[in-house]
Amino acid sequence: MSGPIGRTAVVLARAAATMVAVTMLVFIALHAVPGGFESVYLGTSASETSHATVRAMLGLDRPLPEQYLSWVGGIVTGDLGTSLLSSRPIVDELAVRLPATAQLAVLATVISVPAGAALGIAAGVANLRGRASGLGRVAGALSASVPDFVVATVLVFVASQAGWRIVGASYVPFAEDPLGSTARMLLPALSLSFFATGIVARTTRDAVLAVRAEPFMTMAIARGESTWQIVRRHVLRNVANPIVTIGAVNVGALLGGALIIERVFAIPGVGEYAVNAVNARDYPVVMATVVLGAAAFVVANALADLAGGYIDPRLGARRRVAR
Amino acid sequence: MTLLDVRDLAVRYDTPHGVSQALDGASLTVAAGELVAVVGESGSGKSTLGMAALGLLPASAQRLTGDLLVDGESVFGLDPPRLRRLRRTRLGLVLQDAAGSLDPTRRVGRQLAEHLDRPGRADVLSRLEQVRLPDVERVARSYPHQLSGGMAQRVAIAIALARSPGLLVADEPTAALDTEIKHDVLRLLADSCRERGTALLVLTHDLTGIAAYCTRLVVMYGGRVVETGPPDDVLERPRHPYTRGLLHAVPGQETVGGTLRSIAGSPPVLTGPSAGCAFAPRCEFRVDRCDARRPEPSADAARVLCHRDGELDAVVTLDEVPEVSR
Amino acid sequence: MTTPVPTAELRGVDLDYGSGPPWARRHQRAVSAVSLTIAPGETVGLVGQSGSGKTSVGRLLLGLARPTAGSVLFEGRPLGEDRRRHRGRLQAVLQNPAWSLDPRLRCGTSVAEPLTVAGALPADERRRRVAHMLKQVGLDPGVADRFPHQLSGGQQQRVAIARALVSHPSLVVFDEAVSALDVSVQAQILNLIRRLQDEVGFAALFISHDLAAARYVSHRVAVMWRSEIVEVADAAALYHHADHPYTRSLFGLEPGAAGRR
């Protein structure tokens, strides 16, 4: 099967299969926890009968496959379950918190991908011209090894020293004040994107060097094209695919980083919600947030796969025209 | 008029894996419009010579002595903008890996159009027709991976010749192609260069295969040019022992049941200037002075690089070694 | 040179390669109705352009591909029936010696490997055989202690040939075995193959895109074109004429083979 339609079908099928596997894993992992869901309500000293009552109330007395199916069925129809702590539908709680996290992650991606790509191309081109310095490598190592919260602390310190008043301001939803909200989100997003920018930059640099080894680059130089022409005509398209791919993979790292960044900057996002749920053993919420994170990751990667087919025609797998 | 003038050029590569002397005093001139084949095997320095002509030597390459002039100007003395201009206006390159020579992410027609003075659709199609491609509309719309090796090489030739350069360097342009296509592509290269008055420098390992398409053969060994001349002279009256050996070693020349006379040993990997003749260790005519002194080219046009040039025909008749007959 | 039992035989063999998912599988015919016999001690050349299916024929003979139709016989019995029986009896020499020599192993170890696989031999007997084999391919036995990267391309190919022959195979498949070598070294290896075959007496399939080289080392030459064998001729006859137009085109387009000089 080939062509754009077949390719799309394959990508979607793979994404769906991944999601099924993720939901199964999450379900099995959390139902294997000793103590069970109901202990959250009851504590450790409750009687057997009250255990049984609560289990029946939560549907935990049904066979596991049945519980799984009803849970997944709920997800598909938009019902993520009910929080054990607040007894409110998880969907309602997420609806309040998701925009903040989405805004943070999108902003961090919007910063890290272009910045990383630009840095990586600059480093790659400098390397081609024989001006490779240790600077790029040191910067790369720094971005990979310094934790987000340290970056956040430093950024906050620097920004406050510079008299940037937005630092102390509290979170405002995007829908209420788009500009102000984005401005307030800038420091958190910068902190969050620090790590991702380094990864994108390194991947891009390596891709530039790999492309440089291709004969068509030698041909371009032999035709007397300038460095800028070569970057614009040949390098950008050929390194676009690795950049898109790593950008999508980074979604996972960004969501993980968001847990901490939301704490540092007191942003009422999904990360904070998930951390609280884990601490309180609010299992339905933990399950819902993990599935949500996985879904974001899988969707991002599926989109990257689809984009890849348009960027690099070889992946479109069309047949030869003729001999 | 001399277009390319290589004067006693010596180039060494310094890499983390070691030092190698790719050119060890190579001299060669190519006149405008001449079709020259540089024949040599691995380590002969032919690729280094070709890349040097385009100012494309890697950073690890170091020029020890000599010079290389294009249109009377040293490519080693040009600053980057002027070198780029020289490449853009006067030089062209075709490589062995035809499909890899084209940008995989862009349609062939667009890549060609970029290098035309009037980048219109009609011009693109006529250029593709000139390199004898069938169904040019479809080829122009194709991506490189949709073309066969032979077709991709024709497109690469069309791009390289788009601005009618003075010199086209073709590095093993047909080594990756099938036998039947090989000769079509070589003929195309020779014809196209002749029509434009472009000088052609084909670098190849195939001494007999290229002969029909060039006006001069240049044989390289150990980083030097050891013999040059019109193809018929070189093939029928080879003077350098290496050229002779090569001709005897190529399958296809022997008679039924005959034996190929192989050259003993393998091509040298020089790490510095050779003290004597680089071919001496493999040469059946070697005498003491071959190891001790570097040979100077003979005074005539063939510029044979052999201490015993002129003596050999009198000294030796090649004795047939009887081997198993087939 | 005919004996009742050929060393290898292809009988009406088809080979298809499938690609794509099971529900939309495309089949491509790599080998079509090919019949070919190789007698003991005989070298058969197999010539054709890339994609003509000649390498697939080599894979069939080595048991690396199963025929879609027809049968492949080795010493009179279907190949693949008992793989153990073939150990060390079937060997290959490939285009790039690096493909068959482990860069981390000393050449002697690589050459001895088929012996180790074929069965237990005392260590000193193994060493003796390796040294003998290296001498036979024209190398100093001291090469056994060297690593492949310390040797030239021609020497590496000699080591690969030694490795292929050390277990006294009855069939050796040479797949473009001289194509990657320098012209001045090619003739050495071609002469080596001819000499060894006379001394050791194995049957061989010599796959090449170079008709002149195949004609030189072979007793008979088969020409493949678009997955079919279009001509089989005695090598000696190919010095005078070829029947199939495609074979003629292989010569006609090669000035070297067309008999300049």
Side-chain angles (χ1 to χ4, degrees):
Chain A
M1 204 141 93
S2 63
I5 296 170
R7 204 183 134 76
T8 309
V10 168
V11 168
L12 291 182
R14 203 159 47 202
T18 310
M19 282 316 297
V20 169
V22 166
T23 52
M24 281 185 167
L25 267 176
V26 168
F27 183 84
I28 291 167
L30 288 184
H31 281 264
V33 176
F37 277 40
E38 69 278 12
S39 335
V40 180
Y41 275 144
L42 301 168
T44 42
S45 52
S47 69
E48 274 301 313
T49 34
S50 43
H51 264 273
T53 323
V54 176
R55 286 182 72 87
M57 191 181 85
L58 293 175
L60 294 172
D61 52 348
R62 291 180 295 161
L64 279 181
E66 203 185 311
Q67 289 186 48
Y68 171 75
L69 285 179
S70 83
W71 176 57
V72 168
I75 294 175
V76 173
T77 52
D79 172 15
L80 293 172
T82 308
S83 164
L84 296 183
L85 276 183
S86 67
S87 302
R88 291 178 48 198
I90 298 173
V91 172
D92 293 355
E93 302 205 327
L94 278 179
V96 181
R97 294 161 177 277
L98 194 58
T101 302
Q103 189 188 358
L104 182 60
V106 167
L107 203 54
T109 303
V110 167
I111 293 169
S112 67
V113 170
L119 287 173
I121 289 175
V125 170
N127 195 306
L128 298 185
R129 290 175 156 182
R131 287 206 295 264
S133 65
L135 200 66
R137 212 169 305 155
V138 170
L142 265 182
S143 112
S145 56
V146 177
D148 288 345
F149 64 88
V150 175
V151 179
T153 316
V154 171
L155 280 181
V156 168
F157 176 74
V158 171
S160 59
Q161 289 296 307
W164 202 10
R165 277 185 298 154
I166 208 75
V167 173
S170 60
Y171 172 77
V172 174
F174 186 77
E176 285 174 21
D177 174 10
L179 264 182
S181 168
T182 307
R184 284 173 168 84
M185 225 21 138
L186 214 52
L187 273 189
L190 267 176
S191 318
L192 184 56
S193 63
F194 189 69
F195 178 76
T197 304
I199 292 182
V200 173
R202 202 157 23 154
T203 307
T204 308
R205 192 196 76 116
D206 291 351
V208 171
L209 294 184
V211 168
R212 170 61 188 94
E214 298 284 337
F216 67 83
M217 291 288 283
T218 305
M219 297 290 279
I221 297 168
R223 284 192 298 261
E225 296 183 25
S226 68
T227 305
W228 170 239
Q229 279 174 324
I230 289 173
V231 167
R232 188 168 50 83
R233 284 178 183 164
H234 307 294
V235 174
L236 285 183
R237 278 190 82 108
N238 277 283
V239 300
N241 237 349
I243 294 175
V244 168
T245 306
I246 197 71
V249 170
N250 273 347
V251 167
L254 289 179
L255 292 177
L259 295 184
I260 292 149
I261 295 297
E262 284 176 5
R263 285 233 128 166
V264 174
F265 289 93
I267 297 166
V270 179
E272 196 208 18
Y273 183 51
V275 171
N276 290 340
V278 169
N279 286 338
R281 295 202 288 167
D282 191 349
Y283 294 122
V285 174
V286 173
M287 285 162 65
T289 51
V290 169
V291 168
L292 188 69
F297 183 77
V298 166
V299 167
N301 280 280
L303 287 176
D305 276 359
L306 290 177
Y310 289 97
I311 295 168
D312 189 338
R314 284 170 297 184
L315 299 178
R318 265 156 289 181
R319 299 188 59 194
R320 283 187 165 195
V321 168
R323 278 196 64 85
Chain B
M1 194 186 69
T2 303
L3 175 68
L4 173 70
D5 188 0
V6 189
R7 294 180 183 165
D8 197 32
L9 184 61
V11 170
R12 190 174 69 186
Y13 292 105
D14 267 304
T15 69
H17 309 290
V19 175
S20 76
Q21 176 105 17
L23 290 176
D24 184 20
S27 297
L28 171 70
T29 57
V30 175
E34 223 185 336
L35 307 180
V36 177
V38 177
V39 179
E41 33 195 4
S42 60
S44 66
K46 61 178 192 301
S47 288
T48 303
L49 185 72
M51 292 300 122
L54 288 144
L56 276 177
L57 291 181
S60 60
Q62 197 189 340
R63 176 174 57 131
L64 302 174
T65 61
D67 209 344
L68 188 148
L69 314 172
V70 175
D71 288 338
E73 258 191 311
S74 167
V75 295
F76 295 103
L78 294 176
D79 57 14
R82 287 174 65 204
L83 184 58
R84 277 203 298 273
R85 203 167 66 90
L86 180 73
R87 290 170 180 156
R88 205 162 53 235
T89 55
R90 297 291 288 152
L91 301 171
L93 177 67
V94 172
L95 295 173
Q96 173 174 346
D97 180 359
S101 303
L102 303 171
D103 188 332
T105 59
R106 301 161 72 227
R107 291 180 200 276
V108 160
R110 275 201 56 198
Q111 298 190 47
L112 173 58
E114 235 156 46
H115 304 287
L116 296 175
D117 294 330
R118 294 172 287 114
R121 186 183 143 74
D123 208 20
V124 166
L125 296 184
S126 88
R127 295 297 182 122
L128 292 176
E129 266 161 18
Q130 280 172 27
V131 292
R132 300 168 198 170
L133 278 163
D135 204 355
V136 288
E137 300 251 358
R138 189 156 57 153
V139 170
R141 277 199 314 270
S142 302
Y143 287 102
H145 72 278
Q146 296 169 314
L147 303 178
S148 70
M151 292 170 81
Q153 195 61 295
R154 286 165 199 271
V155 173
I157 291 170
I159 293 177
L161 289 175
R163 295 204 174 99
S164 296
L167 175 71
L168 178 67
V169 176
D171 191 356
E172 297 277 14
T174 59
L177 302 179
D178 281 323
T179 318
E180 315 103 282
I181 301 162
K182 192 176 279 191
H183 291 278
D184 294 344
V185 170
L186 287 177
R187 196 172 303 120
L188 171 71
L189 265 176
D191 292 351
S192 316
C193 286
R194 205 175 285 126
E195 284 161 18
R196 290 174 166 76
T198 296
L200 175 64
L201 194 70
V202 187
L203 317 173
T204 176
H205 66 279
D206 186 1
L207 174 57
T208 50
I210 194 68
Y213 307 101
C214 61
T215 53
R216 190 149 62 96
L217 277 176
V218 173
V219 182
M220 284 190 75
Y221 191 86
R224 304 184 78 181
V225 172
V226 299
E227 178 167 7
T228 176
D232 286 345
D233 287 4
V234 175
L235 292 186
E236 280 157 35
R237 288 176 297 281
R239 281 164 61 182
H240 196 281
Y242 172 65
T243 317
R244 294 176 185 225
L246 214 50
L247 284 170
H248 283 294
V250 179
Q253 319 269 331
E254 79 286 358
T255 50
V256 187
T259 306
L260 296 177
R261 293 168 50 91
S262 57
I263 307 175
S266 39
V269 181
L270 296 177
T271 52
S274 67
C277 169
F279 186 61
R282 304 175 73 187
C283 184
E284 48 186 327
F285 308 117
R286 182 181 66 165
V287 292
D288 287 347
R289 65 177 185 276
C290 298
D291 295 322
R293 275 193 292 123
R294 286 165 70 89
E296 292 300 321
S298 63
D300 60 338
R303 297 183 65 83
V304 179
L305 207 67
C306 177
H307 284 298
R308 307 197 64 194
D309 181 46
E311 302 171 27
L312 293 182
D313 292 322
V315 177
V316 204
T317 49
L318 305 174
D319 49 332
E320 282 294 322
V321 185
E323 266 200 54
V324 198
S325 64
R326 290 282 117 145
Chain C
M1 221 184 241
T2 43
T3 37
V5 182
T7 301
E9 187 174 3
L10 299 177
R11 282 188 192 159
V13 169
D14 291 345
L15 178 64
D16 290 348
Y17 288 122
S19 62
W23 62 89
R25 186 158 291 255
R26 277 196 304 270
H27 290 280
Q28 191 156 15
R29 182 138 291 194
V31 172
S32 177
V34 162
S35 295
L36 187 69
T37 59
I38 307 176
E42 185 189 32
T43 301
V44 173
L46 186 61
V47 183
Q49 63 180 11
S50 58
S52 62
K54 55 188 195 303
T55 292
S56 296
V57 170
R59 289 172 55 82
L60 284 165
L61 277 181
L62 290 167
L64 298 173
R66 280 176 173 280
T68 310
S71 53
V72 181
L73 305 180
F74 180 65
E75 294 179 330
R77 305 221 312 252
L79 189 66
E81 216 172 50
D82 179 10
R83 295 186 70 90
R84 214 169 270 263
R85 186 169 62 94
H86 307 134
R87 263 190 200 160
R89 308 281 297 147
L90 276 169
Q91 292 288 354
V93 177
L94 306 176
Q95 176 172 357
N96 189 340
W99 296 338
S100 46
L101 301 178
D102 186 332
R104 287 157 305 185
L105 292 184
R106 289 179 199 281
C107 292
T109 315
S110 282
V111 173
E113 202 177 40
L115 294 175
T116 328
V117 173
L121 264 181
D124 56 334
E125 168 66 12
R126 247 198 337 255
R127 253 196 304 280
R128 200 190 58 73
R129 285 234 221 149
V130 167
H132 177 70
M133 203 59 238
L134 286 174
K135 249 190 275 178
Q136 242 181 336
V137 297
L139 290 172
D140 187 293
V143 163
D145 296 323
R146 305 230 249 152
F147 290 98
H149 72 265
Q150 296 173 303
L151 305 177
S152 72
Q155 288 171 320
Q156 287 181 20
Q157 196 60 301
R158 284 172 192 267
V159 173
I161 291 173
R163 178 192 146 95
L165 296 185
V166 75
S167 59
H168 300 303
S170 53
L171 178 71
V172 183
V173 174
F174 294 91
D175 192 352
E176 299 282 8
V178 299
S179 312
L181 300 176
D182 278 313
V183 183
S184 75
V185 178
Q186 269 188 24
Q188 294 172 14
I189 302 299
L190 291 174
N191 284 337
L192 175 69
I193 293 171
R194 266 168 64 150
R195 179 168 63 77
L196 286 171
Q197 207 227 10
D198 269 38
E199 286 174 16
V200 186
F202 49 84
L205 182 73
F206 186 87
I207 300 170
S208 177
H209 67 277
D210 183 353
L211 181 51
R215 182 182 67 173
Y216 180 66
V217 292
S218 309
H219 300 96
R220 289 188 298 140
V221 175
V223 178
M224 268 193 105
W225 185 56
R226 296 190 179 174
S227 79
E228 286 178 49
I229 289 184
V230 293
E231 176 164 17
V232 182
D234 278 345
L238 279 180
Y239 280 83
H240 305 300
H241 73 283
D243 285 333
H244 194 275
Y246 177 67
T247 316
R248 281 204 295 274
S249 84
L250 281 180
F251 273 124
L253 286 164
E254 272 185 292
R260 201 180 243 281
R261 260 163 67 82

